[in-house]
Amino acid sequence: MLPASILAGLPTFTGAANAAGLVPAFRGTPRLAVGGIASECSTYSRIRARLEDFTVRRGQEIFEAPLSLPLLRYDVPFLPTLEATAPSGGPVERKTYETLKADYLERLKKLLPLDGVYLMMHGALNVDGMDDAEGDWYEATRAVVGPDCLISAYYDLHGNLSRRAVDTLDAMTAYRTAPHVDRVENVMRAADMLTHCLRYGLRPGIVWANIPVLLPGEQSSTEWEPGRRLWADLSEYNRLPGILDVSQLVGYVWADEPRAAASVVATGTNREEQTRIVTELANRYWNARHEFKFGSPTGTIEECLSRAMASPTHPVVISDSGDNPGGGGNSDQTFFLQALLKAKARNVLLGGMTDRPATKACYKAGVGATLPLSLGATLDPAMCQPVHVKNAVVKHLAPVTRPEDGEAVIEFDGITATLSARRRLYHSAESFRDLGVDPAQFHIVVLKCGYLHPTMKALANPALMALSPGAIDQDILHIGNHRRKPTWPWVADLSWTPTPYVSARFRRG
Ligand SMILES: [Zn+2]
């Protein structure tokens, strides 16, 4: 549940267009469906997302998700179908996607006739053998609901768009912050457009400019320049006549597929104004491409480690950025652990190693036991070698009811490490304190993350980012680039001017 204070602050739908003198066009209550599928899939990962990796909410369960709660504030009921989300990771197994899609479509059909569909998406879904899974989902949706139904989509800032997706949607909006702190606002932007247009009989459309620029995810923060200024004024455009939303997407660089790129998208009813805006913003983004940079000093694992060991201040918080599960990394790589042991680093907290067999062995042995463990490389043995520890002491075991939720804290060779049976984020100070570990007490804290969570940022003294190898290698010039269209920075001297694209639905009016 969202806190009551947040719920109380959410407006109920009242129809903002009253101020513009619009007259409600809809007689009766529109029929709106809600559903979707979201994940962020690195094509550089050998892991596959299967059904058990998804949180699937069916029917009314959808409203148990915090991000669906704002929909309950509208005076138009949203009719639930299926919503599936999986943590960032590798591509989705084809069979899993088809199973989820069939279930969703079946539920959608039962709700017909529909006036609108609100879809909770991400934009970086990759399915085995399919380049544009979101486009496929939208086309399947459109085939069920027909040409007159409005479809509005919710996107992450790190989503990729295709002409197929744009041609099928009527409205879309994306986060305006990274780290993403405007999730609730994003829900309401997407839902507002839908309810507003239905109430006043408006048929919105999308104008899109695709920008051939891709950035390492950790450079795309809106907390520092140029991200801060590039996203700061987007909401100002909503004041212009006929403009409902202007969104700007960084894209998802770890998808080696033709659609991967940055985008500017304007939703509205004023094609000329939307075209002018996306042209202006796409040029602005393109011209700022050289300014993007990491938010903390970077280096190789060894460089960061030697700097940390020599640091007079602590804790030195180092991001093992290539293995960050928050962006699609495996979280089972051992490159950093190997370097720690080789350098004989002491007083170290190593957070977030996923290893189900080792976690299970810790539960079997119990708190206080000493046991030999093989650590890491269980999800992708081809990426790196496991590390064999002779004497690991089990310090803490989280009380859980399902083995797959297990979390253990172990100590060996001057290192305290958290182990997890499944891929999960250990980015915040709370995620460690919940396990009885205080990150502030260590000289070095190694996290499988990118830019730091605010609670870690407050502790870090200093913060460093290791450009480590992995499924989301931040050193993007050296990742495989086989299927993308010509894109900066791989094509350093690329010349480009925006070519705004008016969606097929908008062109037809
Ligand atoms: Zn994102």
Side-chain angles (χ1 to χ4, degrees):
M1 280 289 284
L2 281 180
S5 58
I6 293 181
L7 273 174
L10 299 175
T12 50
F13 173 73
T14 54
N18 280 335
L22 293 177
V23 177
F26 212 96
R27 294 181 189 283
T29 303
R31 290 180 60 79
L32 304 180
V34 53
I37 184 167
S39 189
E40 185 176 52
C41 311
S42 167
T43 61
Y44 299 92
S45 171
R46 292 184 193 84
I47 299 176
R48 288 294 175 272
R50 301 194 166 82
L51 205 50
E52 63 266 27
D53 298 307
F54 277 86
T55 299
V56 184
R57 294 186 168 93
R58 298 173 176 86
Q60 291 297 326
E61 290 170 357
I62 284 183
F63 299 112
E64 292 168 13
L67 281 181
S68 297
L69 283 175
L71 302 178
L72 298 174
R73 303 288 297 186
Y74 288 77
D75 59 2
V76 183
F78 282 81
L79 308 168
T81 58
L82 172 146
E83 189 184 300
T85 55
S88 301
V92 177
E93 185 190 51
R94 184 67 176 249
K95 190 171 69 177
T96 295
Y97 173 77
E98 298 294 353
T99 300
L100 292 169
K101 187 172 89 169
D103 194 347
Y104 158 71
L105 292 174
E106 204 51 46
R107 290 166 185 276
L108 194 66
K109 278 178 198 157
K110 286 184 181 151
L111 296 176
L112 292 173
L114 286 164
D115 304 297
V117 179
Y118 163 67
L119 292 175
M120 295 280 288
M121 309 299 279
H122 178 290
L125 188 72
N126 186 282
V127 176
D128 275 338
M130 187 185 283
D131 268 339
D132 182 16
E134 281 85 2
D136 178 75
W137 191 272
Y138 301 150
E139 281 189 351
T141 301
R142 179 63 68 197
V144 169
V145 299
D148 295 332
C149 181
L150 296 185
I151 306 179
S152 179
Y154 164 113
Y155 266 74
D156 190 281
L157 182 89
H158 301 107
N160 294 318
L161 278 171
S162 67
R163 187 171 284 206
R164 185 181 176 201
V166 166
D167 279 343
T168 324
L169 295 172
D170 298 285
M172 65 158 285
T173 185
Y175 297 148
R176 293 173 180 166
T177 57
H180 309 314
V181 294
D182 64 332
R183 292 169 197 262
V184 171
E185 291 86 341
N186 204 37
V187 172
M188 299 191 68
R189 284 196 291 269
D192 276 350
M193 281 193 280
L194 197 54
T195 51
H196 172 79
C197 289
L198 284 170
R199 177 152 296 188
Y200 295 105
L202 305 175
R203 294 213 65 86
I206 288 175
V207 179
W208 167 52
N210 192 241
I211 312 166
V213 170
L214 284 167
L215 304 169
E218 306 311 333
Q219 289 188 352
S220 66
S221 174
T222 56
E223 294 198 339
W224 59 83
E225 297 296 350
R228 188 184 346 226
R229 72 167 192 276
L230 293 176
W231 271 267
D233 63 354
L234 294 190
S235 56
E236 300 294 317
Y237 288 92
N238 288 45
R239 298 170 193 230
L240 299 172
I243 304 301
L244 293 166
D245 183 87
V246 176
S247 291
Q248 187 167 260
L249 291 83
V250 174
Y252 185 64
V253 68
W254 296 289
D256 187 12
E257 56 179 23
R259 67 174 185 166
S263 289
V264 178
V265 188
T267 301
T269 56
N270 185 338
R271 206 179 302 181
E272 291 71 31
E273 190 69 351
Q274 287 164 254
T275 303
R276 182 189 71 74
I277 291 169
V278 300
T279 305
E280 180 182 309
L281 293 183
N283 267 321
R284 186 171 79 168
Y285 192 92
W286 171 258
N287 292 332
R289 67 193 184 282
H290 296 283
E291 293 179 51
F292 286 94
K293 55 189 178 301
F294 294 110
S296 16
T298 59
T300 62
I301 291 175
E302 289 72 21
E303 285 165 353
C304 290
L305 189 50
S306 91
R307 189 167 163 186
M309 289 172 75
S311 172
T313 59
H314 78 282
V316 183
V317 180
I318 312 176
S319 303
D320 181 3
S321 64
D323 199 30
N324 167 20
N330 296 355
S331 72
D332 76 331
Q333 289 184 184
T334 56
F335 297 115
F336 220 117
L337 176 54
Q338 290 173 36
L340 287 167
L341 293 171
K342 189 176 171 193
K344 296 189 170 23
R346 292 288 186 273
N347 198 10
V348 176
L349 172 60
L350 177 66
M353 178 74 81
T354 303
D355 190 322
R356 187 167 294 190
T359 308
K360 197 174 161 191
C362 290
Y363 274 86
K364 194 173 173 198
V367 173
T370 300
L371 71 164
L373 284 175
S374 168
L375 296 178
T378 57
L379 298 172
D380 182 0
M383 180 66 91
C384 58
Q385 296 290 316
V387 168
H388 298 284
V389 174
K390 280 189 190 148
N391 296 302
V393 181
V394 182
K395 304 298 288 186
H396 179 84
L397 295 168
V400 295
T401 51
R402 304 185 312 164
E404 59 267 37
D405 295 329
E407 296 174 276
V409 180
I410 57 171
E411 273 183 18
F412 57 94
D413 300 330
I415 297 170
T416 299
T418 67
L419 300 179
S420 171
R422 63 177 164 86
R423 295 172 66 248
R424 56 197 297 168
L425 307 186
Y426 291 86
H427 290 179
S428 69
E430 286 73 25
S431 56
F432 293 101
R433 289 181 184 136
D434 288 348
L435 296 172
V437 176
D438 181 1
Q441 301 305 315
F442 292 85
H443 186 71
I444 300 172
V445 177
V446 180
L447 303 175
K448 291 189 181 291
C449 73
Y451 41 62
L452 295 184
H453 185 276
T455 53
M456 277 298 176
K457 200 173 169 183
L459 283 181
N461 189 20
L464 302 171
M465 184 181 293
L467 301 180
S468 46
I472 59 162
D473 192 333
Q474 302 290 324
D475 186 7
I476 63 167
L477 276 174
H478 298 105
I479 62 177
N481 180 29
H482 306 293
R483 304 189 57 238
R484 297 184 187 89
K485 57 186 184 285
T487 302
W488 187 90
W490 291 278
V491 184
D493 58 352
L494 190 68
S495 61
W496 175 80
T497 51
T499 48
Y501 177 74
V502 179
S503 78
R505 287 175 61 73
F506 208 14
R507 286 200 305 275
R508 283 196 295 269

